[in-house]
Amino acid sequence: MNIDSFYNELENYFKKNNLDDVKAYLDKSLEQVTDTNDLPGRLMILNEVVGFNRSVGQDEKAQEFEDKILAIYEEALPLYKALVKGKEYYILSIYSTISNLLINKDKFNESCEIIKKSIEVLRQYEKTEKEIATAYTNLTVNYLRSYDTLAAQECIMQAISIYEAMNEKSEGYGIALTGLAEVYYMKKEYINAIASYKGALDEIRSFYGETPIYAHALENCAKICYDAGYEEDAQVLLEHAKTILD
């Protein structure tokens, strides 16, 4: 299957804003490669089918296709990479899908390896700083889940340094600061954790306002304050969060 032709036609269907036509095209394309030796084509189309079903709220259907991706990706991925050589951006959405599926299976180290591959691809292109920083933040979360605080701290410092080097602040900067706070918290460096979270709160509020996103950040910071013995500060944060969520 011709990759450029597939994506060009899929984009045209999306531009027409007719989801029935998009679904029909994906179903037809998947049927064409099912039970064939075209593993790269199956991987590519399954990835789009998963994304489409998730976007329209068909989670159970998406799960069915996610299982199929996991069954073939190790064999299909090298073949797909060879096909898109010189156009590696095509593989980024597949990396994203696979890494998320591996996380759902608690395969955090395997997911990290996929995210690292996505960073390698992103570095080949200009103006991808935000995406690279986000990838490092995602790596941080995975390493924290596997209790590798050293690797987590290295990754989140990479993300923060990228954000701080950018001419314009990004909403991801506040999220990265919460990641650093979580690293300090896991290392029981509570004062550093609180300081990082306080900085994160300022950034999150500047982008999102006093919304539920900000309220949940307040609650997370309060938890750290409680564990550090600052109960009064924690209570103030929780009361602030409550006024937002109520």
Side-chain angles (χ1 to χ4, degrees):
M1 175 170 287
N2 184 286
I3 296 173
D4 288 321
S5 296
F6 169 76
Y7 278 114
N8 287 338
E9 191 162 353
L10 181 61
E11 184 179 1
N12 287 334
Y13 282 118
F14 272 114
K15 285 180 178 178
K16 294 176 182 177
N17 202 29
N18 188 322
L19 295 181
D20 289 337
D21 286 347
V22 173
K23 182 181 183 304
Y25 177 63
L26 289 173
D27 288 345
K28 177 184 175 183
S29 299
L30 185 58
E31 184 179 351
Q32 290 174 348
V33 296
T34 299
D35 299 325
T36 71
N37 291 324
D38 187 5
L39 275 177
R42 285 164 61 190
L43 179 66
M44 174 181 69
I45 296 166
L46 282 169
N47 182 62
E48 296 302 325
V49 169
V50 166
F52 175 78
N53 280 286
R54 287 291 183 194
S55 69
V56 298
Q58 297 292 326
D59 291 341
E60 289 187 9
K61 196 71 174 175
Q63 178 66 52
E64 173 189 337
F65 292 114
E66 287 171 351
D67 292 339
K68 292 180 179 179
I69 288 179
L70 287 175
I72 68 169
Y73 90 91
E74 288 187 352
E75 184 179 0
L77 202 53
L79 301 173
Y80 188 76
K81 287 174 67 176
L83 279 180
V84 299
K85 193 171 181 61
K87 299 179 180 178
E88 281 80 5
Y89 51 82
Y90 276 134
I91 205 169
L92 289 171
S93 65
I94 292 176
Y95 279 156
S96 178
T97 297
I98 293 173
S99 67
N100 287 331
L101 296 183
L102 291 171
I103 289 170
N104 292 340
K105 300 287 185 181
D106 293 338
K107 296 182 177 181
F108 304 121
N109 290 334
E110 290 181 35
S111 176
C112 283
E113 293 307 309
I114 297 294
I115 296 172
K116 289 176 184 177
K117 292 179 187 296
S118 72
I119 292 174
E120 291 175 8
V121 173
L122 287 165
R123 290 195 185 281
Q124 298 177 37
Y125 299 95
E126 296 180 352
K127 299 180 180 179
T128 58
E129 292 86 357
K130 283 185 183 181
E131 290 82 0
I132 293 171
T134 297
Y136 275 117
T137 302
N138 291 338
L139 274 175
T140 301
V141 174
N142 277 2
Y143 281 127
L144 287 174
R145 286 166 170 162
S146 58
Y147 302 99
D148 189 342
T149 54
L150 178 60
Q153 186 164 353
E154 290 175 352
C155 288
I156 203 59
M157 294 309 295
Q158 285 271 19
I160 289 171
S161 66
I162 292 171
Y163 283 125
E164 291 182 344
M166 293 169 60
N167 292 328
E168 295 182 3
K169 287 289 183 70
S170 166
E171 65 275 13
Y173 182 50
I175 305 303
L177 289 175
T178 67
L180 180 59
E182 293 297 333
V183 170
Y184 284 135
Y185 176 70
M186 188 169 284
K187 294 172 68 177
K188 300 188 184 303
E189 297 180 15
Y190 296 129
I191 301 302
N192 287 335
I194 292 169
S196 295
Y197 234 118
K198 291 290 180 67
L201 288 172
D202 290 340
E203 292 293 327
I204 292 170
R205 182 169 54 185
S206 71
F207 276 93
Y208 298 103
E210 298 209 347
T211 61
I213 293 173
Y214 180 65
H216 292 313
L218 288 168
E219 292 173 335
N220 290 334
C221 187
K223 181 181 187 303
I224 296 175
C225 288
Y226 266 124
D227 287 349
Y230 296 100
E231 296 185 5
E232 290 185 7
D233 290 340
Q235 191 59 41
V236 170
L237 292 169
L238 289 175
E239 288 175 359
H240 191 172
K242 188 175 185 298
T243 62
I244 297 170
L245 295 174
D246 287 345

